[in-house]
Amino acid sequence: MQKDWILSPSLLSCDFGKLETELNSLENAGIKWIHWDVMDGVFVPNITLGPPIIAKSRQKTNLFFDVHLMIEKPERYIQQFAEAGADLISVHAESTPHLESVLSQIEKQNAKPAIALNPHTPLCQIEYLLPQTYMVLLMSVNPGFGGQEFIPFSMQKIRDLSNLIQEKGACVLIQVDGGVDTSNLAELIKNGADVLVSGSAFFKHPPYEKRLQEFNTAASKQE
């Protein structure tokens, strides 16, 4: 039996000059989640967007807003992103010394709390936080720029996280971000991924309805 999964296209690769049109096209194509990459130029070397853009976009669509904060000290901005319309907020374990407190802060703002990990960060850093985590985001590239190739050892990390979640009896989604495309989708899902983030591999192949079907077809090849 095929495992259920979610595609969360990364808006980092969309045409920001026509963002409302892009959001409508995604929703009409059957996409349910969208991934917002928020970068501050400090935690990662790029700068992208903030709460005002998310707030304006929230008024235009019913899509699930999967907001990934690649910023230093995210606790300073949790309330702003939640009020802007984030349904889920991912914060990096590497970005704050008070990760448990930040997860609680997200939950108090009625958003789903998630932890993001850079490729080199070991799973042991988040083991005790799994019970209060809705999702763990495993970066399969070094964060900061789109279009990078999938780091091979990430597949083992996905398997290890899946096993850890089962051992703990936790109910936690696994998200994978970086180098995800139709060539590795089935293997990612087979090894435990639930939510797949895809940027250029999705947006550079319109129309979106057809591209979503291509992803679904690739996912169906799970062995």
Side-chain angles (χ1 to χ4, degrees), residues 132-158:
Q132 70 180 95
T133 305
Y134 179 78
M135 187 180 79
V136 175
L137 164 53
L138 296 181
M139 293 300 303
S140 44
V141 298
N142 289 297
F145 297 94
Q148 299 182 64
E149 292 187 6
F150 183 86
I151 296 175
F153 69 68
S154 301
M155 200 66 75
Q156 180 63 52
K157 194 174 183 181
I158 296 166

Short mmCIF file of all heavy atoms in Angstrom, two decimals, residues 132-158:
data_model
loop_
_atom_site.label_atom_id
_atom_site.label_comp_id
_atom_site.label_asym_id
_atom_site.label_seq_id
_atom_site.Cartn_x
_atom_site.Cartn_y
_atom_site.Cartn_z
N GLN A 132 6.50 17.14 21.76
CA GLN A 132 5.84 18.44 21.61
C GLN A 132 6.06 19.05 20.22
O GLN A 132 5.88 20.24 20.02
CB GLN A 132 6.30 19.41 22.70
CG GLN A 132 7.72 19.90 22.60
CD GLN A 132 8.09 20.86 23.72
OE1 GLN A 132 8.66 20.45 24.73
NE2 GLN A 132 7.75 22.13 23.57
N THR A 133 6.41 18.19 19.27
CA THR A 133 6.73 18.65 17.92
C THR A 133 5.75 18.06 16.91
O THR A 133 5.50 16.86 16.91
CB THR A 133 8.16 18.22 17.53
OG1 THR A 133 9.07 18.71 18.52
CG2 THR A 133 8.55 18.78 16.17
N TYR A 134 5.19 18.90 16.07
CA TYR A 134 4.27 18.43 15.03
C TYR A 134 5.04 17.85 13.84
O TYR A 134 4.61 16.88 13.22
CB TYR A 134 3.40 19.59 14.56
CG TYR A 134 2.43 19.24 13.46
CD1 TYR A 134 1.24 18.57 13.74
CD2 TYR A 134 2.69 19.57 12.13
CE1 TYR A 134 0.34 18.23 12.74
CE2 TYR A 134 1.80 19.24 11.11
CZ TYR A 134 0.62 18.58 11.42
OH TYR A 134 -0.26 18.25 10.43
N MET A 135 6.21 18.45 13.56
CA MET A 135 6.98 18.03 12.38
C MET A 135 8.46 18.32 12.59
O MET A 135 8.81 19.27 13.28
CB MET A 135 6.47 18.79 11.14
CG MET A 135 7.07 18.35 9.82
SD MET A 135 6.39 19.33 8.42
CE MET A 135 7.38 20.84 8.60
N VAL A 136 9.29 17.48 12.00
CA VAL A 136 10.74 17.74 11.95
C VAL A 136 11.12 17.94 10.50
O VAL A 136 10.81 17.09 9.64
CB VAL A 136 11.56 16.58 12.55
CG1 VAL A 136 13.05 16.85 12.35
CG2 VAL A 136 11.24 16.43 14.04
N LEU A 137 11.76 19.05 10.21
CA LEU A 137 12.23 19.38 8.87
C LEU A 137 13.71 19.06 8.76
O LEU A 137 14.55 19.67 9.44
CB LEU A 137 11.98 20.87 8.58
CG LEU A 137 12.72 21.54 7.41
CD1 LEU A 137 12.51 20.77 6.12
CD2 LEU A 137 12.29 22.98 7.26
N LEU A 138 14.03 18.07 7.93
CA LEU A 138 15.43 17.72 7.68
C LEU A 138 15.90 18.43 6.42
O LEU A 138 15.38 18.20 5.32
CB LEU A 138 15.58 16.21 7.51
CG LEU A 138 15.24 15.34 8.72
CD1 LEU A 138 15.47 13.87 8.38
CD2 LEU A 138 16.06 15.75 9.94
N MET A 139 16.89 19.29 6.57
CA MET A 139 17.49 19.94 5.41
C MET A 139 18.40 18.94 4.71
O MET A 139 19.29 18.35 5.34
CB MET A 139 18.30 21.17 5.82
CG MET A 139 17.47 22.33 6.37
SD MET A 139 16.25 22.96 5.18
CE MET A 139 17.30 23.40 3.79
N SER A 140 18.17 18.72 3.43
CA SER A 140 19.01 17.81 2.65
C SER A 140 19.93 18.57 1.71
O SER A 140 20.55 17.99 0.81
CB SER A 140 18.13 16.81 1.87
OG SER A 140 17.05 17.46 1.25
N VAL A 141 20.03 19.89 1.95
CA VAL A 141 21.05 20.76 1.37
C VAL A 141 21.42 21.75 2.47
O VAL A 141 20.72 21.87 3.47
CB VAL A 141 20.55 21.54 0.12
CG1 VAL A 141 20.15 20.59 -1.00
CG2 VAL A 141 19.38 22.46 0.48
N ASN A 142 22.50 22.47 2.28
CA ASN A 142 22.83 23.53 3.22
C ASN A 142 21.93 24.72 2.94
O ASN A 142 21.87 25.19 1.80
CB ASN A 142 24.31 23.90 3.12
CG ASN A 142 25.20 22.81 3.66
OD1 ASN A 142 25.15 22.49 4.84
ND2 ASN A 142 26.01 22.21 2.79
N PRO A 143 21.20 25.22 3.93
CA PRO A 143 20.17 26.23 3.68
C PRO A 143 20.72 27.57 3.22
O PRO A 143 21.85 27.93 3.54
CB PRO A 143 19.48 26.37 5.04
CG PRO A 143 20.52 25.97 6.03
CD PRO A 143 21.32 24.89 5.35
N GLY A 144 19.89 28.28 2.45
CA GLY A 144 20.25 29.63 2.03
C GLY A 144 19.99 29.91 0.57
O GLY A 144 19.74 31.04 0.19
N PHE A 145 20.02 28.87 -0.27
CA PHE A 145 19.84 29.07 -1.70
C PHE A 145 19.08 27.88 -2.30
O PHE A 145 19.24 26.75 -1.86
CB PHE A 145 21.20 29.21 -2.42
CG PHE A 145 21.99 30.41 -1.99
CD1 PHE A 145 22.95 30.30 -0.98
CD2 PHE A 145 21.76 31.65 -2.56
CE1 PHE A 145 23.68 31.40 -0.57
CE2 PHE A 145 22.49 32.77 -2.15
CZ PHE A 145 23.44 32.65 -1.15
N GLY A 146 18.28 28.17 -3.32
CA GLY A 146 17.55 27.11 -4.01
C GLY A 146 18.41 26.46 -5.08
O GLY A 146 19.51 26.93 -5.41
N GLY A 147 17.91 25.35 -5.63
CA GLY A 147 18.57 24.71 -6.77
C GLY A 147 19.77 23.85 -6.43
O GLY A 147 20.51 23.45 -7.33
N GLN A 148 19.99 23.52 -5.15
CA GLN A 148 21.15 22.71 -4.79
C GLN A 148 20.83 21.22 -4.94
O GLN A 148 19.68 20.81 -4.96
CB GLN A 148 21.55 22.98 -3.33
CG GLN A 148 21.96 24.42 -3.05
CD GLN A 148 22.39 24.58 -1.60
OE1 GLN A 148 23.39 24.00 -1.15
NE2 GLN A 148 21.64 25.36 -0.84
N GLU A 149 21.89 20.41 -5.02
CA GLU A 149 21.73 18.97 -5.15
C GLU A 149 21.55 18.31 -3.78
O GLU A 149 22.14 18.72 -2.78
CB GLU A 149 22.94 18.36 -5.86
CG GLU A 149 23.05 18.76 -7.32
CD GLU A 149 24.16 18.02 -8.03
OE1 GLU A 149 24.76 17.10 -7.42
OE2 GLU A 149 24.44 18.34 -9.20
N PHE A 150 20.74 17.28 -3.76
CA PHE A 150 20.45 16.50 -2.56
C PHE A 150 21.74 15.90 -2.00
O PHE A 150 22.54 15.30 -2.72
CB PHE A 150 19.47 15.38 -2.95
CG PHE A 150 19.01 14.52 -1.82
CD1 PHE A 150 17.92 14.89 -1.04
CD2 PHE A 150 19.65 13.32 -1.53
CE1 PHE A 150 17.48 14.08 -0.01
CE2 PHE A 150 19.21 12.50 -0.50
CZ PHE A 150 18.13 12.89 0.26
N ILE A 151 21.97 16.06 -0.68
CA ILE A 151 23.13 15.49 -0.02
C ILE A 151 22.85 14.02 0.27
O ILE A 151 21.91 13.69 1.01
CB ILE A 151 23.45 16.24 1.28
CG1 ILE A 151 23.83 17.70 0.96
CG2 ILE A 151 24.57 15.55 2.05
CD1 ILE A 151 24.05 18.56 2.20
N PRO A 152 23.63 13.08 -0.28
CA PRO A 152 23.30 11.65 -0.19
C PRO A 152 23.07 11.10 1.21
O PRO A 152 22.19 10.27 1.41
CB PRO A 152 24.51 10.99 -0.87
CG PRO A 152 25.00 12.01 -1.84
CD PRO A 152 24.81 13.32 -1.14
N PHE A 153 23.87 11.53 2.21
CA PHE A 153 23.71 10.93 3.54
C PHE A 153 22.38 11.30 4.18
O PHE A 153 21.98 10.72 5.20
CB PHE A 153 24.88 11.27 4.47
CG PHE A 153 24.99 12.71 4.90
CD1 PHE A 153 24.04 13.28 5.75
CD2 PHE A 153 26.07 13.49 4.51
CE1 PHE A 153 24.16 14.60 6.19
CE2 PHE A 153 26.20 14.81 4.93
CZ PHE A 153 25.24 15.36 5.78
N SER A 154 21.65 12.25 3.58
CA SER A 154 20.36 12.65 4.13
C SER A 154 19.35 11.50 4.12
O SER A 154 18.47 11.44 4.98
CB SER A 154 19.79 13.83 3.34
OG SER A 154 20.66 14.94 3.37
N MET A 155 19.50 10.57 3.18
CA MET A 155 18.56 9.46 3.10
C MET A 155 18.65 8.60 4.36
O MET A 155 17.63 8.17 4.91
CB MET A 155 18.83 8.62 1.85
CG MET A 155 17.66 7.77 1.41
SD MET A 155 16.22 8.72 0.84
CE MET A 155 16.77 9.26 -0.78
N GLN A 156 19.88 8.36 4.82
CA GLN A 156 20.06 7.59 6.05
C GLN A 156 19.50 8.35 7.25
O GLN A 156 18.90 7.76 8.17
CB GLN A 156 21.54 7.28 6.29
CG GLN A 156 21.82 6.47 7.55
CD GLN A 156 21.19 5.10 7.50
OE1 GLN A 156 21.38 4.34 6.54
NE2 GLN A 156 20.42 4.74 8.52
N LYS A 157 19.66 9.66 7.24
CA LYS A 157 19.15 10.48 8.34
C LYS A 157 17.63 10.41 8.41
O LYS A 157 17.04 10.38 9.50
CB LYS A 157 19.62 11.93 8.18
CG LYS A 157 19.44 12.79 9.41
CD LYS A 157 20.09 14.15 9.19
CE LYS A 157 19.99 15.02 10.43
NZ LYS A 157 20.60 16.35 10.23
N ILE A 158 16.97 10.37 7.26
CA ILE A 158 15.51 10.23 7.21
C ILE A 158 15.11 8.89 7.83
O ILE A 158 14.18 8.82 8.64
CB ILE A 158 15.01 10.33 5.76
CG1 ILE A 158 15.28 11.72 5.19
CG2 ILE A 158 13.51 10.03 5.68
CD1 ILE A 158 15.14 11.81 3.68
#
